[in-house]
Amino acid sequence: MADQYANFNDQIIAEFRANGGTVARFGRDLVLVHHIGAKSGSERILPVMSIRDGDGTWLIAASKAGAQQNPAWYHNLLAHPDVTIETADDGVVAVHVTELTGDERDSAWALFTAKSEGFRQYEQRTSRTIPVLALTRT
């Protein structure tokens, strides 16, 4: 199963880079997050949907398609919050990751559910509160 997701992600990353940040299935809403494994120390690249929040911040949701546990990359970003992202419009950007809480998280999550039916479904599938992270330009 892990290989299936790795192959899917590799295809998305290749399409993102080949088409200047546009991916047919996702448009220009993805960022590629370069992060370090919390346990392994290995560099990883994750394609994830983002919502631009002003000039220097991108929001991402650790939805894991509504699974009952947070995705591994969520823990990686909290352990090593200074990362880089590749964006469709700004190229490679150094960012600092912060987990949003309370009303700030709820307002950001509302942006995701307004943008995509998928996020509304993910919320219904899980009993956990889906984390929202802000990636702020450094």
Side-chain angles (χ1 to χ4, degrees):
M1 188 80 133
D3 288 339
Q4 175 186 357
Y5 290 117
N7 290 338
F8 177 76
N9 284 347
D10 288 345
Q11 292 172 5
I12 297 297
I13 292 165
E15 186 177 346
F16 181 97
R17 289 177 171 162
N19 297 308
T22 300
V23 176
R25 187 170 168 182
F26 302 101
R28 297 179 65 78
D29 292 331
L30 295 181
V31 293
L32 304 184
V33 181
H34 295 249
H35 59 102
I36 303 298
K39 294 179 184 175
S40 70
S42 299
E43 181 177 347
R44 304 174 191 287
I45 302 173
L46 167 76
V48 64
M49 198 207 103
S50 69
I51 295 176
R52 191 74 183 257
D53 187 31
D55 287 338
T57 301
W58 294 260
L59 303 173
I60 60 174
S63 64
K64 198 174 181 181
Q68 290 302 320
Q69 68 280 357
N70 292 321
W73 59 260
Y74 162 80
H75 302 287
N76 295 343
L77 291 175
L78 294 182
H80 303 283
D82 294 307
V83 300
T84 58
I85 58 175
E86 294 177 53
T87 73
D89 298 318
D90 295 280
V92 177
V93 179
V95 296
H96 181 79
V97 177
T98 306
E99 183 171 3
L100 302 181
T101 59
D103 290 343
E104 191 174 28
R105 179 262 170 213
D106 295 344
S107 294
W109 178 246
L111 297 173
F112 283 92
T113 59
K115 187 170 185 80
S116 169
E117 171 65 28
F119 286 103
R120 292 189 295 278
Q121 292 174 3
Y122 301 159
E123 185 174 44
Q124 293 171 357
R125 290 182 196 152
T126 187
S127 60
R128 69 184 170 95
T129 299
I130 297 173
V132 177
L133 305 173
L135 287 63
T136 304
R137 185 187 300 265
T138 56

